[in-house]
């Protein structure tokens, strides 16, 4: 009867690669000619981006009337997508910051990539509040700058909090990401033979020289940033959830929203990261760096957050019933039985039912199955936002002003476009920057750290 | 040796443990200006080098705190002093609503300034002209070697001794690192013809674009600032009517509410007989009368009605209002003259409303009485 | 090597060999040759000065670029300012409008000589400051870009060429002379004339051209009523009715609150009987009808009955009442004998009427003899009319007849027979000229196919404002003044003579229709005031003489113009004796097949306003359908014929087939199809062309009531898209049933309940508490109260608001998406069962909540609260996030999803002169801006300004919102709630006052006075 010692962490990186081979593996995609697959992929994503751009241009010229939004459903795909993308972003920060603080060493191989996804997702998200306004050319009014109206913004509006939250989130993630990149850029700078690339790398590596004096401050800074990113990531989706929770609409005005949204965000974010990583590690043959164990760990996280989300769904119904507020009660009955029931049940099945499969180790470790489930989770989470935004508005207080929301082709076009933007950025990223943090991976290699001397 | 100033002598090691020993030895040897380079943060190295742990945290604290305070004070000032607005029936100062923004600003300033401080104050980045950059040493170090570089400006630096020392520590390779003289000798480029013309060109282009955007683009569709609205404001033109006048003259013979046509056209006598002043000479009425008199009447009749005004001599002289004729004229008569005009005096009907005319009549009476008062007044 | 060499340390070989050089190297701040060796040759060609100069030059560029040189436009002042106009201030003119047969006296608001708003004449005894929805909308006709601007002559089929008035007049007068010489008829077709002076002109015309024959008609005329009155009472002076004294009102197919008779008068008087502070005189309304009309929706008891069964019902009712009373009226013997065959109970059971309702009706009628009234709809046949008169006579309700103000008939209407004869004559070639005098017979008599006849006449002249089906078949189309450009006088009531004066100088090359006739008659050269002089002279000779006490005609004339009417010295006529000699029922074959009944559309009425988009866009008061008419059928009938909403059906009355979309309307009688006229105009402007379906074809000229005919229905299988502005939920859908009651949106009680427990509303109101201390308002805080007992849901307020606040039309497609822009809307809720519905109307507008949820969420403070309690919008600050609208529990905010003016009907609303229509005091909102009811802040500011001018303390009195001003039943009250004596603050503290969604604690400022239904029960 053999016992397993859980105190020993399994190695983060499989096999026993040398420090230099790490360089090789990670820098390869940057130096070799892209495979055909990459060209196909990016042309698809660019097409999607183009579709989005055209739909957006038409919206800008003719007005948001080309969308499906109306009275009473003033928000449609625009805000649904916004919340969805912000959610996607969260996994990145979670992996890079929270897991860092929790000393989860398995994060190192995926942190860089997750952070990149955060930034791209937040870019996609940030797009929507900007374009959903009736007069987009006046979006500047949302910033508190001294203007000829002598008027300031309304600091009580959750939408304004969003402006601060999302912009802060974007900036800090970017800084965090860039800090992580500096040593790798320096490495590339020293590696590359191409003059042009050298200039670029030199500029962005700022003259980093792997000095221990710098490493000393650097690690401190990294720790501090991680420390700040953690409450930040929680706050961002909390504030996004305020958009709804602070309103007085039945189905929106709910105290459970902040934790519920954060859990949901992590949930969908992990699904997205998992999906993309599965592709990346295959295409770039870095299965030994982004290991199956890592993926399995992510699936576990999804299982956990998925159940939190499920709990939230149940709790919403309970509270609605328990509150004794008939209007609140109706809204939730209407979600489950009303005209948008299909959306509701899609959400429930994708988010709560399918993830239960992750209880089985076999499924947790089977690449194709987890991929499918990941996709389903993203679909489910998108519909969660749809259910929250649309069904609540479509049937609120006055039956006289109930109405249905039917998305137009422009709504769909812009949704496609946002995915196009996201993947285009991803594809460019994996060709131009190290998808895995070279320095960090080196640091966690076996025998990378001294066995005596240093007191740790 | 070639004519180049030396920066340091550096050596690379292949094994992390060896490196740490080496560092400790170098410390013991009493070297101060040396640095250790590793491709990743090696635990224990800083301790081996006797480096103090980073003080960056204080920077973060200061900037984070000031961010919070600034955010709070700004919002308080805006909502309570600069532009108080009733919003949703809530008080002007509402702390709970401020908290999200305060939090975000705290995080933002703390995080950004920490990094800025580290990179630009502590590390003095960007610094790509550092002698270590682009050396074979650096190339090794950034891959898989650990390097130690002892700088030439160290008190006890000795070219040969150091080399020897490294050997003894079991260094793989030893490098001599020199300043890059050519980089040091660059002239500043700012007065260069090319640069200047580039400067001018950019400014011209920027100006052109700015002008186009501010004065043309922003007034094209779909941009709409509601500064030109699809309605007919007073005193504007229209293409609907041939004469182009947006303001129309009412049809002859129609009667607007409150504007019954003047019944005594050309009948001064009748007017004087039948019209009576509807207003009581209260202070308010007299004030009105005075202001209107000074506006419309005084230019000819003078401020006190003596007919002495700056226009005297340029027209047939306007009469004084203190003549017996006018003093004995009934209110209706004066009203009639204001309304219809008389001799060269035009009608003031369109300038003065009926009430204003009557008020003026009262004021004229006051003027007359002040010039030749009644017995009762004198007593 | 010397010793000291060793003592000093060297860092490099170079150092060791020549230390001086290194020393120098170290002393220098920079290394060899960095800057300190100044060589002029090496100096840059551009000096520092030059550099700075260029730098400043380029920055100057940049600044220049940032400046703004937009042209601010020119100023066009008056050459000579008219006395009555103060630029920027409004003028008001009393005038008259003739939208329907009951002329309204109106007060027209003008700015710089251009009308911008029409309201009722407050001094007028009938109007009392109110006009109907058509009156409100009629200003749009004046500025309609599709108006005819110059005379047209037809060159070929449907091809018209402009022609000068002179030529047109010449050829027409020649033709007139010719047809007189050839003794051919001059057919002169016109709506029923109700202007004495016009009549005078017509008669002079006839004297000049003796072969003239006048054909007068009106749609939905009260011809039958007048004739029967003559038959029963010998005179043709039908009295108006003192509705406000009625305790019980029985309406038989009479939509007297919407389309039937002198609506404005009736609505006001009816509303007076619905005063919750005067329960003694609270009226009870019974409606017996097949369709669900606005009146029916306001009934306390509603009896569903197909129009063709009305007679049975009346007869049996009369029979029952005769049984139970012994009236001193001697009825014709044959009637008395015939009545015996009609037993009320059998009728009740035959038509499945509710027994208790009918019995309460009978009891009430008998109990309230002399204080009840039976109203018989104009659409009913003669028999019903007579029976109604008899019923009133029997019950002694004649005391409610007002003989001091009877309806005047200047001319007698022609029958359909006459028009058929006309067609005959035309076919025989006996007609030389047809003159259409501002009417549209081709459309109105679609079922007679006048168009064919007209194409046989060699000269058809049409005087009209707009293209119409008739102009298409006319040789000359002569454009005439809009009523707002015309002079005239009208007499509808015996005691009142209305005057009409132009409020804008003629906009185009048009002439007043009467003046045209005068030029034809006298042959004199046209000048603008040609008809005014005729009018004035007639008044001098005929009207002024009625006032012997007055001496100066001019004063009298101007005073009457100023007031807009004169009250004629009353010759007190007392009730004529009941003189019905004989009465024999016209026995028509009743069949059980489906009956089609044609009703006037509540807004478009007879289609005369077909090009008026405002009326198209206002939701139908019952079905909420916009931009269409339809065939309404009851749910049961729908099931029988297996039809559902939108199915296209073929309705055929034997002669014509008309395709119509089905709308399943709860509360209709079974086997009945109700259609409404006014739609399906083929020839009119951009807006009305091809909207809806022309049902004029289905008029049944052989029946006693031409509007009813038996039809067979065929389902075509096609589906037509009917658009409603309000989602209706089928009454048997338990999931969403009766939410308006469950959520206390509509709170109603009965009279008995209120008398028993006056606090039954207040008891229901929730306890509210606040965690912040509330904002204090001082001096003025605005609030509104809406009395649901008075509101009948006529939508006049909606159009008034549209006109006042520059609200654009959005079109059918946008309404379908749910993007209508009306700031105030009438919500209609149904409760009860599909065949016994109770309708509740509720005007819904911005509630200007104290704790407005919209304000909290606006990120740019574009919406916030004013110090006088208005929830205000800063349009130019709004970026359009639509968050406020999402967070509005009443969903009264409206968003410009497009620039609707350009999006709707290819920029129709951007055509001049529609910009004249827009109120200069109200912003014309751009795309992407949120908007909503402002409580007419521009009016508030005007009042405040006036107060400041006069140096008074502004107490908030005397401000009227547009909706309040328009409301014909005075249901809306607006004012300063801080003023304890103001009407509104009294209503806020009324026992029946409640707020919609009060439990949300948004503290709305629109109070609703709960509706009391006057039924024999203590709960609704």
């Amino acid at each position: 009867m053999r016992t397993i010692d859980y105190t020993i962490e399994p190695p983060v990186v499989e096999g026993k690669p040398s420090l230099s081979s790490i360089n090789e593996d990670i820098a390869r995609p940057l130096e070799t000619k892209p495979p055909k697959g990459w060209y196909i992929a990016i042309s698809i994503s660019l097409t999607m981006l183009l579709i989005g751009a055209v739909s957006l241009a038409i919206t800008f010229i003719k007005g948001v009337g080309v969308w499906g939004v109306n009275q009473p459903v003033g928000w449609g795909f625009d805000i649904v997508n916004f919340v969805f993308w912000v959610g996607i972003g969260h996994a990145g920060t979670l992996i890079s910051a929270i897991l860092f603080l929790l000393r989860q060493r398995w994060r190192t191989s995926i942190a860089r990539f997750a952070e990149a996804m955060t930034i791209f997702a937040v870019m996609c998200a940030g797009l929507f509040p900007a374009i959903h306004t009736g007069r987009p050319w006046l979006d500047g009014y949302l910033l508190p700058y001294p203007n000829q109206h002598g008027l300031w913004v309304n600091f009580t509006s959750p939408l304004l909090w969003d402006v601060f939250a999302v912009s802060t989130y974007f900036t800090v993630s970017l800084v965090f990401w860039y800090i992580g990149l500096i040593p790798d850029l320096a490495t590339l700078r020293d590696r590359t033979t191409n003059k042009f690339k050298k200039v670029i790398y030199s500029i962005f590596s700022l003259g980093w020289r792997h000095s221990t004096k710098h490493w000393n401050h650097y690690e401190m800074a990294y720790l501090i940033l991680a420390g700040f990113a953690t409450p930040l990531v929680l706050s961002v989706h909390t504030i996004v959830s305020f958009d709804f929770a602070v309103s007085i609409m039945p189905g929106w005005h709910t105290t459970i929203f902040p934790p519920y949204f954060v859990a949901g965000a992590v949930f969908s974010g992990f699904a997205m990261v998992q999906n993309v990583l599965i592709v990346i590690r295959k295409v770039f043959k870095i299965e030994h760096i982004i290991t199956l164990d890592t993926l399995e760990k992510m699936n576990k996280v999804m299982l956990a957050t998925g159940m939190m989300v499920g709990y939230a769904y149940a709790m919403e119904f309970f509270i609605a019933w328990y509150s004794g507020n008939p209007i609140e009660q109706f809204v939730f009955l209407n979600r489950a039985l009303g005209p948008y029931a299909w959306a509701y049940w899609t959400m429930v099945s994708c988010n709560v039912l399918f993830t239960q499969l992750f209880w089985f180790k076999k499924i947790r470790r089977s690449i194709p199955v987890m991929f499918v489930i990941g996709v389903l989770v993203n679909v489910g989470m998108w519909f969660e936002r749809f259910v929250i935004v649309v069904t609540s508005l479509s049937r609120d207080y006055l039956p006289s002003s109930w109405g249905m929301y039917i998305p137009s082709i422009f709504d769909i076009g812009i949704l496609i476009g946002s995915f196009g933007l996201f993947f285009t950025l991803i594809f460019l990223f994996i060709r131009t920057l190290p998808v895995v943090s070279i320095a960090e991976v080196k640091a966690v290699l076996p025998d990378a750290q001294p066995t005596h001397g240093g007191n740790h | 040796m070639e004519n180049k100033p030396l920066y340091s002598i550096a050596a690379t090691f292949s094994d992390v443990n060896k490196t740490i020993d080496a560092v400790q030895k170098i410390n013991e040897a009493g070297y101060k200006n040396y640095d250790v380079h590793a491709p990743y943060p090696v635990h224990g190295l800083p301790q081996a080098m006797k480096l103090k742990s980073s003080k960056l945290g204080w920077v973060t604290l200061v900037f984070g705190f000031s961010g919070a305070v600034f955010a709070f004070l700004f919002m308080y000032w805006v909502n309570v002093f600069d532009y108080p607005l009733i919003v949703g029936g809530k008080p002007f100062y509402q702390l709970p609503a401020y908290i999200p923004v305060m939090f975000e600003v705290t995080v933002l300033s703390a995080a950004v300034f920490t990094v800025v401080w580290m990179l630009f104050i502590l590390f003095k980045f960007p610094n790509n002209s550092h002698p270590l950059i682009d050396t074979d040493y650096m190339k090794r170090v950034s891959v898989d070697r650990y390097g130690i570089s002892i700088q030439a400006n160290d008190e006890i630096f000795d070219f040969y001794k150091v080399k020897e020392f490294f050997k003894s520590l079991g260094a793989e390779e030893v490098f001599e690192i020199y300043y890059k003289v050519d980089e040091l000798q660059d002239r500043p480029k700012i007065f260069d013809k090319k640069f200047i013309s580039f400067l001018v060109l950019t400014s011209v282009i920027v100006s052109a674009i700015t002008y186009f955007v501010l004065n043309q683009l922003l007034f094209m569709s779909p941009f709409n600032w509601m500064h030109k609205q699809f309605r007919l404001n007073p005193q504007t033109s229209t293409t609907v009517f041939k004469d182009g006048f947006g303001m129309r003259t009412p049809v002859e013979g129609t009667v607007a509410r409150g504007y019954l046509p003047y019944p005594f056209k050309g009948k001064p006598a009748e007017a004087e007989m039948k019209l009576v002043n509807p207003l009581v000479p209260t202070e308010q009425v007299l004030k009105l009368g005075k202001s209107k008199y000074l506006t419309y009447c005084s230019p000819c009749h003078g401020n006190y009605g003596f007919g002495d005004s700056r226009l005297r001599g340029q027209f047939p002289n306007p009469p004084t209002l203190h003549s017996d004729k006018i003093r004995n004229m009934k209110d209706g008569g004066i009203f009639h003259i204001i309304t219809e005009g008389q001799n060269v005096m035009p009608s003031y009907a369109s300038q003065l409303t009926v009430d204003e005319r009557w008020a003026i009549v009262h004021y004229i009476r006051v003027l007359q009485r002040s010039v030749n008062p009644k017995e009762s007044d004198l007593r | 090597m010397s010793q000291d060499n060793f003592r000093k340390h060297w860092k490099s070989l170079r150092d060791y060999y020549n230390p001086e050089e290194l020393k120098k190297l170290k002393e220098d701040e920079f290394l060899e040759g960095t800057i300190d060796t100044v060589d002029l040759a090496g100096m840059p060609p551009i000096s520092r000065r030059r550099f700075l100069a260029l730098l400043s030059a380029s920055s100057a560029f940049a600044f220049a670029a940032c400046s703004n040189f937009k042209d601010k436009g020119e100023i066009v002042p008056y050459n000579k300012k008219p006395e009555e106009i103060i630029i920027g201030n409004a003028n008001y003119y009393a005038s008259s409008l003739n939208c329907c047969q009951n002329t309204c006296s109106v007060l027209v608001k003008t700015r710089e000589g251009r009308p911008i708003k029409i309201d009722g004449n407050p001094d007028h005894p009938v109007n009392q400051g109110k006009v109907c929805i058509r009156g409100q909308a009629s200003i749009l006709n004046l500025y309609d870009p599709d108006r005819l601007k110059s005379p047209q002559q037809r060159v070929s089929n449907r091809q018209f060429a402009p022609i000068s008035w002179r030529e047109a007049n010449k050829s027409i007068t020649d033709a007139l002379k010719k047809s007189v010489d050839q003794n051919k008829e001059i057919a002169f077709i016109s709506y029923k004339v109700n202007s004495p002076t016009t009549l005078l002109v017509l008669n002079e015309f006839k004297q000049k051209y003796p072969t003239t024959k006048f054909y007068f008609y009106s749609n939905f005329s009260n011809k039958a009523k007048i004739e029967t009155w003559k038959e029963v009472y010998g005179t043709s002076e039908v009295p108006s009715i003192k509705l406000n004294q009625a305790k019980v009102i029985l309406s038989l197919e009479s939509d007297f609150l919407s389309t039937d008779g002198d609506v404005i008068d009736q609505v006001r008087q009816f509303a007076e009987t619905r005063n919750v502070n005067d329960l003694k005189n609270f009226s009870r309304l019974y409606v017996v009808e097949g369709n669900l009309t606005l009146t029916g929706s306001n009934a306390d008891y509603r009896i569903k009955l197909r129009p063709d069964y009305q007679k049975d019902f009346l007869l049996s009712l009369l029979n029952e009442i005769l049984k139970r009373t012994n009236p001193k009226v001697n009825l014709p013997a044959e009637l008395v004998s015939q009545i015996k065959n009609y037993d009320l109970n059998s009728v009740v059971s035959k038509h499945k009427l509710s027994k208790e309702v009918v019995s309460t009706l009978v009891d009430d009628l008998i109990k309230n003899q002399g204080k009840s009234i039976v109203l018989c709809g104009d659409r009913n046949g003669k028999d019903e009319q007579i029976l109604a008169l008899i019923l009133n006579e029997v019950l002694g309700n004649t005391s409610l007849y007002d003989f001091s103000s009877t309806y005047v008939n200047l001319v007698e209407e022609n029958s359909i027979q006459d028009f058929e004869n006309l067609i005959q004559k035309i076919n025989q070639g006996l007609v030389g000229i047809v003159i259409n005098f501002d009417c549209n017979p081709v459309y109105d008599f679609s079922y007679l196919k006048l168009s064919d006849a007209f194409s046989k006449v060699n000269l058809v002249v049409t005087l009209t404002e707009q293209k119409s089906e008739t102009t298409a078949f006319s040789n000359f189309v002569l454009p005439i003044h809009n009523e707002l450009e015309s002079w005239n006088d009208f007499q509808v009531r015996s005691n009142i003579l209305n005057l009409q004066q132009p409020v804008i100088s003629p906009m185009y090359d048009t002439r007043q229709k009467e003046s045209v006739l005068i030029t034809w008659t006298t042959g004199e050269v046209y000048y603008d005031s040609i008809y005014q002089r005729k009018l004035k002279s007639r008044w001098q000779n005929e009207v002024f003489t009625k006032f012997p006490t007055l001496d100066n005609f001019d004063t009298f004339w101007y005073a009457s113009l100023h007031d807009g009417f004169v009250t004629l010295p009353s010759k007190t006529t007392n009730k004529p004796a009941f003189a019905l000699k004989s009465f024999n029922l016209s026995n028509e074959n009743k069949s059980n097949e489906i009956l089609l009944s044609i009703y006037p559309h509540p807004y478009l009425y007879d289609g005369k306003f077909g090009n008026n988009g405002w009326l198209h866009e206002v939701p139908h008061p019952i079905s909420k359908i916009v931009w269409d008419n339809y065939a309404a059928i009851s749910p049961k009938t729908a099931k029988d014929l297996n039809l559902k909403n939108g199915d296209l059906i073929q309705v055929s009355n034997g002669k014509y087939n008309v395709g119509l979309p089905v709308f399943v309307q709860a509360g209709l009688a079974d086997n009945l199809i109700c259609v409404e006229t006014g739609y399906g105009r083929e020839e009119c402007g951009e807006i009305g062309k091809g909207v809806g379906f022309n049902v004029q074809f289905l008029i049944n000229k052989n029946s006693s009531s031409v509007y009813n005919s038996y039809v067979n229905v065929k389902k075509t299988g096609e589906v037509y898209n009917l658009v409603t502005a309000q989602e209706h939920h089928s009454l048997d859908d338990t999931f969403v049933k009766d939410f308006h009651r469950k959520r206390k949106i509509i709170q109603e009680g009965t009279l008995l309940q209120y008398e028993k427990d006056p606090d039954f509303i207040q008891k229901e109101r929730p306890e509210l508490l606040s965690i912040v201390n509330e904002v204090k308002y001082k001096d003025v805080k605005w609030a509104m109260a809406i009395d649901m007992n008075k509101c009948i849901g006529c939508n006049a307020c909606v159009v008034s608001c549209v006109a006042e606040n520059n609200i654009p039309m959005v079109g059918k497609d946008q309404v379908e998406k749910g993007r209508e822009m009306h700031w105030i809307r009438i919500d209609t809720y149904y409760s009860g069962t599909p065949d016994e519905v109770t309708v509740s109307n509720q005007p819904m507008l911005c509630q200007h909540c104290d704790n407005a949820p919209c304000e909290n969420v606006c990120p740019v403070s574009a919406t916030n609260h004013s110090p006088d309690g208005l929830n205000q919008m800063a349009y130019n600050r709004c970026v359009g996030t639509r968050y406020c609208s999402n967070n509005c529990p009443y969903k009264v905010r409206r968003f410009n999803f497009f620039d609707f003016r350009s999006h709707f009907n290819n920029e129709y609303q951007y055509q001049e002169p529609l910009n004249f229509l827009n109120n200069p005091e109200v912003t014309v909102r751009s795309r992407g801006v949120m908007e909503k009811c402002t409580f007419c802040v521009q009016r508030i500011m005007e009042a405040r300004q006036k107060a400041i001018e006069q140096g008074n303390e502004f107490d908030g009195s005397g401000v009227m919102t547009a909706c309040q001003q328009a409301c014909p039943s005075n249901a809306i009250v607006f004012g300063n709630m801080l003023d304890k004596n103001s009407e509104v603050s009294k209503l806020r503290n009324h026992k029946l006052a409640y707020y919609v969604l009060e439990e949300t604690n948004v503290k709305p400022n629109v109070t609703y006075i709960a509706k009391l239904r006057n039924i024999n029960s203590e709960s609704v």
Side-chain angles (χ1 to χ4, degrees), chain C residues 217-465:
Chain C
Y217 75 98
S218 65
N219 301 303
F220 302 101
S221 72
N222 54 357
K223 197 157 172 290
K225 202 172 236 155
I226 297 162
E227 285 168 356
T228 44
W229 182 266
K230 207 176 181 112
E231 205 169 319
V232 178
Y233 291 107
T235 75
S236 63
E237 293 191 340
V238 183
S240 58
I241 291 161
K242 304 182 207 144
L243 263 183
N244 53 354
Q245 296 174 16
K247 283 281 289 166
V248 176
I249 302 168
L250 170 58
S251 150
L252 304 156
E253 278 292 336
S254 166
D255 189 1
F256 68 95
L257 294 180
S258 169
T259 54
D260 207 28
D262 197 345
V263 173
I264 287 299
D265 193 20
Q266 292 154 349
V267 170
R268 194 190 63 254
Q269 297 202 28
F270 173 71
E272 284 169 17
T273 69
R274 291 277 160 165
N275 180 354
V276 286
N277 300 326
D278 177 13
L279 299 180
K280 287 203 321 303
N281 303 325
F282 210 86
S283 72
R284 173 174 287 178
L285 172 59
Y286 290 87
V287 175
V288 185
E289 62 180 2
N291 190 4
L292 176 56
T293 64
L294 197 60
T295 311
S297 73
N298 284 283
D300 298 302
Y301 288 111
R302 185 164 168 275
I303 300 170
K304 275 191 323 175
L305 189 64
R306 242 169 69 163
D308 54 341
Y309 297 139
Q310 285 279 347
K311 200 190 290 178
D312 302 14
F313 180 76
L314 262 168
L315 285 162
S316 51
L317 185 64
L318 182 57
N319 180 17
E320 184 73 13
I321 284 173
L322 286 174
K323 268 193 233 148
R324 292 175 49 178
T325 59
N326 48 352
K328 293 151 229 50
V329 189
N330 44 4
L331 301 170
E334 62 269 46
L335 174 63
V336 178
S337 60
Q338 274 170 321
I339 280 184
K340 297 274 176 291
N341 323 339
Y342 293 89
D343 170 40
L344 188 56
N345 295 338
S346 59
V347 171
V348 165
S349 50
K350 177 163 172 247
H351 301 304
K352 298 189 220 52
L353 310 180
S354 138
K355 244 188 181 42
E356 51 278 7
V357 171
V358 175
S359 56
T360 38
L361 166 62
V362 176
D363 298 345
D364 279 337
L365 286 175
I366 293 170
K367 195 144 82 292
N368 296 290
Q369 294 188 39
K371 296 199 298 308
S372 64
I373 188 74
V374 181
L375 300 173
C376 186
D378 289 344
R379 296 167 56 263
N380 286 330
K382 270 180 95 165
D383 292 357
E384 289 86 345
Q385 303 285 358
I386 293 183
L387 288 166
L389 291 179
I390 294 171
L391 210 44
N392 280 328
E393 191 71 35
V394 166
L395 292 165
N397 297 337
T398 51
S399 55
L400 266 59
Y401 291 156
D402 181 358
F403 290 99
S404 68
S405 168
T406 59
Y407 290 99
V408 171
N409 304 293
L410 297 172
V411 298
E412 193 149 310
E413 278 185 49
N414 296 62
S415 63
I416 297 173
Q417 189 55 41
D418 296 339
F419 281 90
E420 284 179 312
N421 299 345
L422 170 63
I423 295 173
Q424 292 264 324
K425 285 189 228 152
I426 290 176
N427 294 341
Q428 295 155 6
L430 301 177
V431 175
I433 303 181
V434 174
I435 298 173
N436 300 305
F437 191 62
D438 189 18
C439 59
N440 185 9
V442 173
Y443 173 79
D444 295 334
F445 294 100
S446 303
Y447 56 98
L448 293 182
K449 284 251 170 284
L450 266 180
S451 49
D452 303 351
F454 282 0
S455 37
K456 297 202 190 79
V457 186
N458 40 21
L459 185 64
V460 177
V461 181
T462 303
L463 296 89
T464 178
E465 260 179 75

Side-chain angles (χ1 to χ4, degrees), chain A residues 33 111 114 187 198 291 295 305 314 360 433:
Chain A
K33 231 176 135 310
T187 310
K198 189 172 181 61
T291 63
L295 294 175
T305 47
F360 307 103
L433 292 168

Side-chain angles (χ1 to χ4, degrees), chain A residues 25-37:
Chain A
D25 291 338
I26 295 173
R28 192 183 305 110
L30 284 54
E31 288 153 1
T32 54
K33 231 176 135 310
K36 199 193 272 95

Side-chain angles (χ1 to χ4, degrees), chain A residues 204-241:
Chain A
F204 285 102
S205 62
L206 299 168
W208 176 267
R209 45 186 192 277
H210 305 289
S211 148
T212 304
K213 289 178 179 164
H214 292 174
W215 282 122
N216 191 22
H217 291 300
Y218 178 90
E219 285 197 284
M220 173 57 74
Y222 202 81
L223 187 67
I224 290 169
L225 284 185
F228 271 108
T230 307
L232 179 62
V233 69
L234 299 182
S235 81
V236 170
H237 229 52
T238 303
I239 288 175
V240 169
S241 79

